[in-house]
Amino acid sequence: MDIWTGCLKMLKEYWFTGVGLGTGGFAAIYPRYAVGESGVAPHSHMHFMEMLVELGALGFLSVFASHPPSSG
Protein backbone atom coordinates (compact mmCIF):
# COMPACT_ATOMS: atom_id res chain seq x y z
CA MET A 1 0.00 0.00 0.00
CA ASP A 2 2.90 2.37 0.70
CA ILE A 3 4.11 2.12 -2.90
CA TRP A 4 0.64 2.87 -4.26
CA THR A 5 0.31 5.84 -1.91
CA GLY A 6 3.65 7.14 -3.18
CA CYS A 7 2.44 6.68 -6.76
CA LEU A 8 -0.70 8.70 -6.04
CA LYS A 9 1.52 11.47 -4.66
CA MET A 10 3.56 11.34 -7.89
CA LEU A 11 0.40 11.61 -9.96
CA LYS A 12 -0.53 14.86 -8.23
CA GLU A 13 2.46 16.43 -10.00
CA TYR A 14 2.86 14.23 -13.11
CA TRP A 15 -0.81 13.47 -13.83
CA PHE A 16 -0.79 14.83 -17.37
CA THR A 17 2.67 13.94 -18.73
CA GLY A 18 3.64 10.96 -16.61
CA VAL A 19 7.26 10.26 -15.70
CA GLY A 20 8.17 8.51 -18.96
CA LEU A 21 8.36 4.92 -20.10
CA GLY A 22 10.45 2.28 -18.38
CA THR A 23 11.69 1.69 -14.88
CA GLY A 24 14.46 4.30 -15.13
CA GLY A 25 12.17 7.33 -14.90
CA PHE A 26 10.03 5.79 -12.20
CA ALA A 27 13.02 4.69 -10.10
CA ALA A 28 14.64 8.13 -10.37
CA ILE A 29 11.54 10.09 -9.34
CA TYR A 30 9.78 7.73 -6.91
CA PRO A 31 12.07 8.29 -3.86
CA ARG A 32 10.84 11.91 -3.60
CA TYR A 33 7.28 10.63 -3.10
CA ALA A 34 7.98 7.45 -1.15
CA VAL A 35 5.84 6.70 1.89
CA GLY A 36 6.89 4.59 4.87
CA GLU A 37 9.72 2.19 4.18
CA SER A 38 9.13 2.02 0.42
CA GLY A 39 11.99 4.39 -0.43
CA VAL A 40 13.17 2.34 -3.42
CA ALA A 41 10.79 0.73 -5.88
CA PRO A 42 11.42 -0.21 -9.53
CA HIS A 43 7.74 0.08 -10.45
CA SER A 44 4.26 0.54 -8.95
CA HIS A 45 3.36 -3.17 -8.57
CA MET A 46 -0.03 -2.59 -10.26
CA HIS A 47 -0.40 -2.57 -14.03
CA PHE A 48 -2.96 0.23 -14.35
CA MET A 49 -1.15 2.43 -11.80
CA GLU A 50 2.08 1.86 -13.73
CA MET A 51 0.46 2.96 -16.99
CA LEU A 52 -0.90 6.11 -15.33
CA VAL A 53 2.42 7.01 -13.73
CA GLU A 54 4.48 6.34 -16.86
CA LEU A 55 2.11 7.64 -19.55
CA GLY A 56 0.09 10.29 -17.72
CA ALA A 57 -3.64 10.74 -18.18
CA LEU A 58 -3.54 11.38 -21.93
CA GLY A 59 -1.38 8.35 -22.64
CA PHE A 60 -3.46 6.17 -20.34
CA LEU A 61 -6.66 7.14 -22.14
CA SER A 62 -5.06 6.66 -25.55
CA VAL A 63 -4.23 3.05 -24.70
CA PHE A 64 -7.91 2.29 -24.16
CA ALA A 65 -9.04 4.39 -27.13
CA SER A 66 -6.78 2.39 -29.44
CA HIS A 67 -8.06 -0.96 -28.07
CA PRO A 68 -11.84 -0.73 -27.68
CA PRO A 69 -13.55 -3.69 -26.01
CA SER A 70 -14.75 -6.39 -28.38
CA SER A 71 -18.47 -6.80 -28.88
CA GLY A 72 -19.71 -10.28 -28.36
Side-chain angles (χ1 to χ4, degrees), residues 1-8 10 19-20 22-46 49-50 53-54:
M1 296 301 289
D2 286 346
I3 292 175
W4 294 346
T5 303
C7 288
L8 291 174
M10 287 173 67
V19 297
T23 57
F26 183 93
I29 295 171
Y30 179 77
R32 288 187 266 167
Y33 302 94
V35 174
E37 297 182 22
S38 67
V40 176
H43 51 82
S44 69
H45 299 283
M46 182 194 327
M49 179 79 74
E50 188 71 24
V53 169
E54 287 186 5

Side-chain angles (χ1 to χ4, degrees), residues 10-27:
M10 287 173 67
L11 284 171
K12 286 183 181 177
E13 186 170 339
Y14 293 98
W15 70 272
F16 189 71
T17 63
V19 297
L21 295 174
T23 57
F26 183 93

